[in-house]
Amino acid sequence: MSSQVVYSLQLGLGSVSAFASYNSYHHNIVRDTAIMIASNLVWAVLSILLVFSLLGVTHSLQTINLTHVLASEPGLSVSITGSGLLMAGVTLVETALASVATGWLWAGLLFLLIFLTTLTSLTGLLETISSSIISLRPSLLRYKPAITFSILTFLFLLALVLGTGGGAHVYSLLDTFIASWPCLLTSLLSLLATLTCHGPQLLLAHIIDMSKVRLHHVITSHMSVLFTR
């Protein structure tokens, strides 16, 4: 669950830090953080309602059973609907959306939603890589559009592998082994390094100074305990 939260908020990927570098020092990062968390919560709730509703449609049609009793272990129920690409492309689109009224419209909106989500994630990735390169060689700042285009071209060539006959298997391997744990590990190491070198009290003091807001003592106490633990 924690890895899904980190991945959903794009923590540990450098995207938030890259975009935040354009802010001035005195910027209300507390407000921005609250907006990001609230938006992600609403997004997650709507996604859960959508997925469960479509799974209910498939179950009522008896096209796909949500549970499958194993012959070797009676009484043990496991999901057979698949996950990730299989969930979006097979269970939700080919089965659920194909059976509802104007399913083609909802299927198009679903894939448009997936496209926009992918585009925003790719934008953050491009900004992270290009900003990292420029930070090493500040003289390349004027060539940032060319660097971004070169990175995008390289990623496009790598993504062609996913369009081959074995692309689904490559996607499954990437999603299983390197999709989530690097973000979680990077976030934990970054937090550990910050708290070790900076300290919880000084970190809170700098957050208050940058945001120019007064945090209640209860909030700062809880944040200090969370950072320390």
Side-chain angles (χ1 to χ4, degrees), residues 1-2 7-8 14 22 28 36 55 58 74-75 101-103 108 115 132-133 144 164 182 187 210 226:
M1 181 63 70
S2 58
Y7 187 75
S8 179
Y22 293 99
N28 196 342
M36 290 176 58
L55 287 179
T58 61
T102 62
F115 172 76
S132 300
I133 295 175
K144 185 175 182 179
T164 61
S187 299
M210 288 187 295
L226 289 174

Side-chain angles (χ1 to χ4, degrees), residues 171-215:
Y171 171 83
S172 298
L173 290 174
L174 295 176
D175 182 62
T176 302
F177 294 103
I178 65 172
S180 58
W181 69 264
C183 303
L184 182 59
L185 179 61
T186 304
S187 299
L188 292 177
L189 291 178
S190 300
L191 182 60
L192 179 62
T194 303
L195 294 178
T196 302
C197 301
H198 214 55
Q201 298 301 327
L202 192 57
L203 177 61
L204 289 174
H206 285 174
I207 292 176
I208 295 174
D209 179 54
M210 288 187 295
S211 303
K212 292 298 183 181
V213 295
R214 284 183 172 272
L215 297 178

Side-chain angles (χ1 to χ4, degrees), residues 8 58 69 86 162 165 195 200 222 225 227:
S8 179
T58 61
V69 179
L86 294 177
L162 301 178
L195 294 178
H222 280 79
V225 172
F227 288 152

Side-chain angles (χ1 to χ4, degrees), residues 115-139:
F115 172 76
L116 292 177
T117 304
T118 305
L119 183 62
T120 54
S121 301
L122 181 61
T123 303
L125 178 62
L126 290 174
E127 181 64 28
T128 301
I129 298 176
S130 60
S131 299
S132 300
I133 295 175
I134 294 175
S135 64
L136 296 176
R137 298 289 298 274
S139 59

